Amino acid sequence: MSYDDYVIAGLDIGTTKVCAVIGRVGEYESIDILGVGSSPSKGLRKGVVVNIESTVHSVASAIEKAELMAGIEIKSVFAGIAGGHITSRNSKGVVAVSTRSHEITPAEVERVIGAAKAIALPMEREVIHVLPHEFVVDSQEGIKDPVGMTGVRLEAEVHIVTGAMASAQNIVKSVNRGGYAVNDIVFEPLASALATLKDDEKELGVVLVDIGGGTADILVYQNGSIRHTGVISMGGNHVTNDISIGLRIPNQRAEEIKRKWGIALSEITDSEEMIEIPSLGGRKPAVMPRQVLAEIIEPRMEEILFLVRENLESKDIKDTLSGGVVITGGASLLEGTGKLAERIFEMPVRIGIPSGIGGLVEEVSSPEYATSVGLVLYGLSMKPEGFTDNRDAGLFSNIKRRMVGLFDEFF
Ligand SMILES: Nc1ncnc2c1ncn2[C@@H]1O[C@H](COP(=O)(O)OP(=O)(O)OP(=O)(O)O)[C@@H](O)[C@H]1O
Ligand SMILES: [Mg+2]
């Protein structure tokens, strides 16, 4: 079934901003970006919704902005999930091929994935993703798609991502109360990876690090599939806090200064360069060397990147990543981040910007949009069965839509 013209929306509920991206499926299953909307996020801490009311406002505002730009009303989104509650592990499942001819059908694959997914989970946790690495048919290893092959024993190796049920429910609640349905919940770095990584990097082995405001999310590909995921509960907001404390200025000022003059590596800073720090209450602005700012920022960025490195080393995967490191997320906009990371990882590093899309590409060409663009691409990979078609959503009036949201919540 062709689904050209279908409309898919991604919603990244981040610690600092909520961002909605609307895309249309074009010819050859490409995505054209139609609209983008962003709104400051107030109801989250370290990637987790802690205040539904504030989150609902940010969600509604971001989606409405994107809808306005796209000239389309949507009714459902693929929403991101992140935070320290996310854990992951590898698992295996085995089944006997029960078809008469011993030919493996999609039903067999579904069954073996079901077996691999059957892990003991505490009541309050749920499985968010089951990501197959490879299949083994009898003793033949390294099979990506076993459908159509013949064998008696089918084994699946998968990576399972789990999260706190309450966190997922709070995301769904916030989106529903804004008047929208949720097609699926997606682990945020998985979305960012879809938007920024190239196929050859995934084959060679690559680590994606998405440094946002509250968390740094890690995702590792080896031989084309996801092998490891992790979350570090530290991000760009910690850098801002350090500046605020170090320079004794309010947080908002510190954020502005970081974006304007921030640099992650003091030794590439011109020692002569002076910057102006606006003072409060009409006093004269303070002038100081940019190097001082760099010396506040560098240790924190170093700490975040060291924690990522440690995480990789603890899993023994750091030495198998010939594709290097891709850093994305808003914090990667900080000058010198790539260079500092190269030193810490001792590997080539690049900054990941959404690619492989058409339409309003300029509007999303920043690491800040990697997750939201990736959520649309994730939606695309779900094929039409996995999402509500948004094309006719314009027929819904806002009131009716909001009622749908309420029904979703109560039933
Ligand atoms: N130009 C810039 N220079 C330096 N830092 C920046 C710049 N632009 C944004 N940031 C930082 O990026 C961070 C926000 O990144 P992003 O938008 O990816 O986070 P988020 O998705 O809201 O949060 P999270 O993923 O942690 O939930 C903030 O800490 C912000 O200060
Ligand atoms: Mg983010």
Side-chain angles (χ1 to χ4, degrees), residues 86-346:
I86 304 274
T87 58
S88 69
R89 58 191 263 195
N90 293 323
S91 169
K92 275 184 188 176
V94 186
V95 294
V97 181
S98 55
T99 52
R100 191 168 293 174
S101 60
H102 293 297
E103 186 174 313
I104 297 164
T105 65
E108 250 66 44
V109 174
E110 206 170 294
R111 216 152 47 82
V112 74
I113 288 179
K117 183 178 154 181
I119 53 167
L121 269 187
M123 281 260 288
E124 73 283 1
R125 299 190 68 78
E126 66 180 324
V127 172
I128 300 171
H129 296 289
V130 182
L131 307 159
H133 297 161
E134 63 171 41
F135 297 88
V136 182
V137 178
D138 295 338
S139 55
Q140 198 180 335
E141 294 179 356
I143 297 161
K144 292 277 176 215
D145 182 7
V147 173
M149 295 183 73
T150 309
V152 287
R153 183 179 186 276
L154 176 64
E155 188 178 320
E157 284 180 25
V158 301
H159 186 73
I160 300 180
V161 180
T162 70
M165 215 174 257
S167 291
Q169 278 166 355
N170 287 340
I171 290 172
V172 174
K173 240 187 218 173
S174 306
V175 177
N176 285 170
R177 284 208 191 152
Y180 304 89
V182 176
N183 288 316
D184 204 353
I185 290 211
V186 185
F187 185 37
E188 283 163 20
L190 173 61
S192 306
L194 288 175
T196 59
L197 298 184
K198 302 188 173 80
D199 287 345
D200 57 346
E201 287 171 331
K202 293 180 193 169
E203 283 302 327
L204 285 168
V206 66
V207 53
L208 175 100
V209 187
D210 180 338
I211 315 179
T215 63
D217 306 330
I218 305 167
L219 187 104
V220 174
Y221 271 92
Q222 278 172 334
N223 299 324
S225 24
I226 293 163
R227 292 285 160 157
H228 169 65
T229 44
V231 179
I232 309 285
S233 292
M234 209 182 270
N237 289 353
H238 296 77
V239 176
T240 306
N241 277 340
D242 293 347
I243 299 172
S244 157
I245 293 164
L247 301 182
R248 296 204 202 102
I249 51 172
N251 224 271
Q252 202 185 332
R253 281 277 155 80
E255 178 70 25
E256 286 162 20
I257 288 162
K258 180 179 84 171
R259 288 183 187 221
K260 200 160 172 196
W261 289 296
I263 185 159
L265 203 56
S266 62
E267 66 175 64
I268 61 165
T269 317
D270 177 359
S271 57
E272 310 276 295
E273 191 180 351
M274 303 299 280
I275 58 173
E276 250 183 32
I277 310 294
S279 295
L280 289 175
R283 270 175 284 150
K284 267 200 352 200
V287 175
M288 63 166 219
R290 193 180 178 200
Q291 189 109 37
V292 172
L293 182 63
E295 279 162 12
I296 295 174
I297 296 174
E298 185 173 332
R300 180 65 78 171
M301 286 303 280
E302 213 170 46
E303 183 179 8
I304 296 173
L305 295 167
F306 259 121
L307 288 171
V308 173
R309 183 183 146 158
E310 252 176 35
N311 181 286
L312 298 176
E313 281 171 348
S314 71
K315 299 284 170 190
D316 261 346
I317 33 186
K318 192 181 159 291
D319 298 330
T320 59
L321 305 168
S322 340
V325 181
V326 177
I327 304 189
T328 190
S332 69
L333 285 167
L334 192 70
E335 198 183 327
T337 300
K339 269 213 160 73
L340 178 68
E342 242 159 35
R343 192 167 298 176
I344 289 169
F345 292 111
E346 296 163 323

Side-chain angles (χ1 to χ4, degrees), residues 176-177 179 401-411:
N176 285 170
R177 284 208 191 152
R401 220 176 46 190
R402 283 183 213 296
M403 281 182 64
V404 172
L406 286 176
F407 279 124
D408 282 350
E409 197 176 312
F410 290 117
F411 298 103

